[in-house]
Amino acid sequence: MLLSKENGWKKQTSETKELIFKFCEEYKISLDLGKTEREYVQYGLKLAEENGFVLAESKEKLVPGDKVYYVNRGKNLVLAIIGKEPLEKGLNYVVSHIDSPRIDLKQNPLYEELELSYMKTHYYGGIKKYQWTSIPLSLHGVVVLENGERKNVVIGERDEDPVFTIPDLLPHLAAKVQGDRKTAEVIKGEELQIIVGTIPTTLNNPEIKETVKYAVLEELNKAYGMIEEDFISAEFQLVPAFKAKDVGIDRSLVGGYGQDDRICGYTSLKAILSLNEIPNKTAVCFLADKEETGSNGSTGLQSNYLEYFTGDLISRTKDNYSDLFLRKALWNSSSLSSDVSAAIDPIFKSVHEAQNAAKLNYGIVVTKFTGSRGKGGTNDADAEYVWEIRNILNKGDILWQTAELGKVDEGGGGTVAMYLAQLGIKTIDVGPALLAMHAPFEISSKLDIYESYKAYKAFYKEMN
Ligand code: MN
Ligand code: MN
């Protein structure tokens, strides 16, 4: 009669605890290897190929059991296993995003003042800017040189590498400048700048006015063949330089950068890779980009890529492709919009309504609706679809809870759910909860990570 949930650790044995902890060791490695969407695509691609997935284009005809992948401009990865049922009966999509809040370099970033050289930035996604100062940052990205050659750049991940940092103001002198600023402005956007050099060039050329900046460009030219204009045809991202770690005396938590939303990327990848029987419906693991800036762009979920690859899949399973097959396939499909929720925290519990707040160690969170100010921007899953999901989770003995993101008038947030729903796909938000979401060091529960993996696997197997 009563809805009662309990802490999932109470049900675990020493064997299941070991299994859960072991699963999270590889998860931590995935966070270290994939700190940008491009790197995460490469990481996922390697796992996919090791598990028998091949490029979809390499197969003219697809039959049940075939495993294929698509890569969209290096920033979306899609894995699919063709199911027994024809695709127009619908597919099962688990959609997460692999971009995370971070700090991008500006297109013309480099300057010198007071004989110090800095680079200017423009942050990406919803960050509390002050959290990103005075911590070690690594620089990741690609640059396309004047001659068209593309170079990958990663500085700050190896032990011997230098790192970067945004120096904050010392407290001794901060009272006037920062003391009265609001949280969002403790550090202002234009103050998010990294220090990159202090030694002047050895060239004795009176035409070189900015000698330290010039020396930085000399180093970049030596290492990558770069000139200053190449910054324009580049994507450079600053991310925390530290590695993911266990957190707490009992090691029950994982701390690390980019868990929103690679926690769902990883668990859904592992779920599709571990399907060893041919699923009834075609199973799709979709790793999206650009969620943190609104899902715009050709690699975000507001683009037509989901329709494009689904149409392509159908055309490889049928002789006479028609657009109606694609429309039917989408309208008959089911999806999990796999994204993180906010876990309640005793320090700031007032922002949540406890009865409808997510708790660490209580399993994956089923979020019927997201949005803010009266469910603005929500998908709000149908009661019937919530029933289907609830049934699959219960039958699979998966630990789950239900929550909304904060008190009604407190704030809120959105996910990709509405972009799936507008294609006719049945959609609900399902993902684990984090503490300190969008911080450089986010916190998740090992138990919830494992239950998320189990939930995605059960969805692929059971959703009909
Ligand atoms: Mn997210
Ligand atoms: Mn986010």
Side-chain angles (χ1 to χ4, degrees):
M1 293 276 272
L2 291 169
L3 173 65
S4 72
K5 299 276 177 187
E6 66 170 2
N7 186 314
W9 281 116
K10 289 186 184 158
K11 277 196 192 155
Q12 305 304 322
T13 62
S14 55
E15 285 78 34
T16 57
K17 184 182 172 192
E18 198 181 321
L19 188 74
I20 291 164
F21 273 45
K22 198 166 157 238
F23 186 86
C24 292
E25 287 306 301
E26 211 184 314
Y27 170 59
K28 285 184 285 176
I29 293 170
S30 75
L31 293 176
D32 296 339
L33 293 178
K35 289 190 176 181
T36 69
E37 56 278 1
R38 286 179 188 264
E39 289 174 0
Y40 212 86
V41 165
Q42 292 309 315
Y43 170 80
L45 204 50
K46 186 162 173 285
L47 283 189
E49 285 180 341
E50 284 167 5
N51 284 275
F53 284 74
V54 298
L55 186 66
E57 267 177 34
S58 71
K59 290 220 162 200
E60 209 172 301
K61 280 273 162 266
L62 292 175
V63 295
D66 278 350
K67 299 176 176 184
V68 294
Y69 65 78
Y70 293 81
V71 180
N72 179 20
R73 298 183 176 161
K75 300 180 189 182
N76 295 155
L77 176 64
V78 184
L79 308 192
I81 303 178
I82 306 299
K84 293 176 195 153
E85 300 251 17
L87 272 77
E88 63 267 27
K89 293 269 176 69
L91 297 82
N92 289 333
Y93 299 88
V94 178
V95 181
S96 60
H97 67 93
I98 51 172
D99 63 314
S100 295
R102 59 174 189 251
I103 298 180
D104 291 343
L105 289 191
K106 284 200 189 195
Q107 62 279 24
N108 181 13
L110 192 59
Y111 77 98
E112 170 181 338
E113 193 176 334
L114 302 173
E115 291 173 84
L116 301 170
S117 184
Y118 278 74
M119 285 190 194
K120 297 167 183 264
T121 72
H122 195 136
Y123 64 96
Y124 173 99
I127 62 167
K128 290 167 101 173
K129 296 186 277 291
Y130 68 84
Q131 293 179 334
W132 295 73
T133 62
S134 296
I135 60 168
L137 299 168
S138 56
L139 184 71
H140 295 233
V142 294
V143 52
V144 183
L145 306 179
E146 200 174 22
N147 64 9
E149 197 185 339
R150 198 177 72 164
K151 297 264 186 182
N152 286 313
V153 176
V154 180
I155 305 171
E157 293 295 335
R158 295 173 307 177
D159 283 344
E160 65 269 31
D161 280 357
V163 295
F164 303 92
T165 195
I166 297 163
D168 198 358
L169 183 57
L170 66 168
H172 318 63
L173 300 178
K176 279 190 191 160
V177 175
Q178 286 178 317
D180 294 329
R181 290 186 183 181
K182 296 204 158 171
T183 321
E185 299 211 318
V186 171
I187 293 290
K188 298 180 183 178
E190 294 293 349
E191 292 167 348
L192 291 171
Q193 301 184 9
I194 52 167
I195 184 160
V196 292
T198 67
I199 304 176
T201 179
T202 51
L203 283 181
N204 240 334
N205 181 346
E207 282 185 14
I208 302 170
K209 299 282 183 275
E210 298 169 312
T211 53
V212 178
K213 170 180 165 176
Y214 194 87
V216 169
L217 282 169
E218 284 178 315
E219 294 282 348
L220 288 174
N221 189 265
K222 204 163 69 186
Y224 306 105
M226 273 184 78
I227 59 171
E228 192 171 19
E229 194 180 280
D230 294 335
F231 277 110
I232 295 168
S233 49
E235 287 168 23
F236 283 125
Q237 313 177 349
L238 291 157
V239 297
F242 40 72
K243 287 185 170 11
K245 290 275 190 187
D246 287 350
V247 172
I249 299 280
D250 62 7
R251 312 181 80 112
S252 60
L253 307 169
V254 173
Y257 166 67
Q259 299 199 68
D260 174 10
D261 184 32
R262 296 176 195 128
I263 193 170
C264 293
Y266 182 76
T267 47
S268 59
L269 257 179
K270 291 302 271 188
I272 199 166
L273 295 175
S274 67
L275 284 182
N276 33 33
E277 278 165 31
I278 301 176
N280 240 359
K281 295 275 182 77
T282 294
V284 176
C285 170
F286 188 110
L287 306 180
D289 177 33
K290 297 277 191 288
E291 194 278 339
E292 295 295 355
T293 50
S295 298
N296 307 90
S298 64
T299 53
L301 241 269
Q302 292 206 61
S303 82
N304 291 326
Y305 193 68
L306 191 140
E307 291 160 87
Y308 167 75
F309 87 79
T310 303
D312 188 77
L313 272 182
I314 296 170
S315 75
R316 289 173 202 277
T317 61
K318 283 195 123 44
D319 287 329
N320 325 308
Y321 178 82
S322 101
D323 183 61
L324 192 59
F325 286 130
L326 172 60
R327 302 294 139 206
K328 278 189 180 169
L330 293 170
W331 218 268
N332 288 327
S333 286
S334 303
S335 75
L336 299 181
S337 161
S338 309
D339 209 339
V340 292
S341 183
I344 194 165
D345 171 356
I347 308 173
F348 296 111
K349 60 177 184 258
S350 69
V351 301
H352 295 277
E353 184 267 291
Q355 186 170 316
N356 288 285
K359 293 176 80 174
L360 291 178
N361 296 331
Y362 275 64
I364 195 162
V365 185
V366 175
T367 305
K368 185 176 183 298
F369 55 87
T370 59
S372 52
R373 289 171 294 279
K375 299 191 178 182
T378 191
N379 151 60
D380 213 339
D382 305 329
E384 292 84 351
Y385 188 51
V386 184
W387 177 83
E388 287 185 84
I389 297 299
R390 166 188 164 196
N391 226 3
I392 288 172
L393 297 176
N394 283 341
K395 274 193 192 152
D397 200 21
I398 288 147
L399 190 68
W400 64 276
Q401 53 183 326
T402 176
E404 63 177 318
L405 193 76
K407 277 183 181 164
V408 175
D409 286 332
E410 202 70 41
T415 63
V416 300
M418 58 179 149
Y419 308 119
L420 298 166
Q422 76 189 18
L423 298 170
I425 304 173
K426 288 185 284 179
T427 304
I428 187 166
D429 284 291
V430 177
L434 301 181
L435 285 179
M437 194 201 295
H438 284 203
F441 196 67
E442 302 174 306
I443 294 163
S444 62
S445 138
K446 288 185 178 176
L447 181 71
D448 298 341
I449 294 167
Y450 194 71
E451 293 298 323
S452 301
Y453 156 71
K454 278 169 56 188
Y456 299 143
K457 197 166 167 182
F459 173 77
Y460 285 137
K461 282 182 157 174
E462 306 296 336
M463 176 51 73
N464 263 307

